[in-house]
Amino acid sequence: MHLEIITPDKKVFAGEANAVTLPGTEGQFQVLNRHAPLVSTLGKGDVVVDTGAEKQTYIIDGGVVEVLNNKVLVLAEAVL
């Protein structure tokens, strides 16, 4: 799936990922390839991106995520 993590200042990550773990406001959840459409608010916490070769972690300060057509768009308030 294609993942983008964007803040108001810059694009933090853009590329392919096998899985992404997100800090939802009601608890942590994971999005995998071909996930059902989803829109959710995000709290402060870790976004873990699994690209298959490595795992990258970004700490965000809240935001929103949209999952649609095997694309994941994370609009983060800030990356700490």
Side-chain angles (χ1 to χ4, degrees), residues 6-11 75-79:
I6 301 172
T7 68
D9 300 333
K10 63 183 175 181
K11 186 178 288 190
L75 302 174
E77 296 288 332
V79 172

Side-chain angles (χ1 to χ4, degrees), residues 1-5 13-20 33-34 48-56 58 69-72:
M1 68 185 157
H2 185 74
L3 170 67
E4 289 188 17
I5 302 173
F13 179 90
E16 294 299 310
N18 293 336
V20 59
N33 278 327
R34 309 215 189 288
V48 181
V49 179
D50 183 353
T51 61
E54 64 179 346
K55 289 187 180 180
Q56 300 173 353
Y58 303 94
N69 297 328
N70 217 31
K71 294 180 183 173
V72 180

Side-chain angles (χ1 to χ4, degrees), residues 12-52:
V12 178
F13 179 90
E16 294 299 310
N18 293 336
V20 59
T21 305
L22 300 157
T25 53
E26 298 296 321
Q28 189 178 53
F29 64 97
Q30 188 174 51
V31 175
L32 301 171
N33 278 327
R34 309 215 189 288
H35 196 283
L38 167 77
V39 173
S40 179
T41 55
L42 301 173
K44 183 176 182 178
D46 292 348
V47 175
V48 181
V49 179
D50 183 353
T51 61

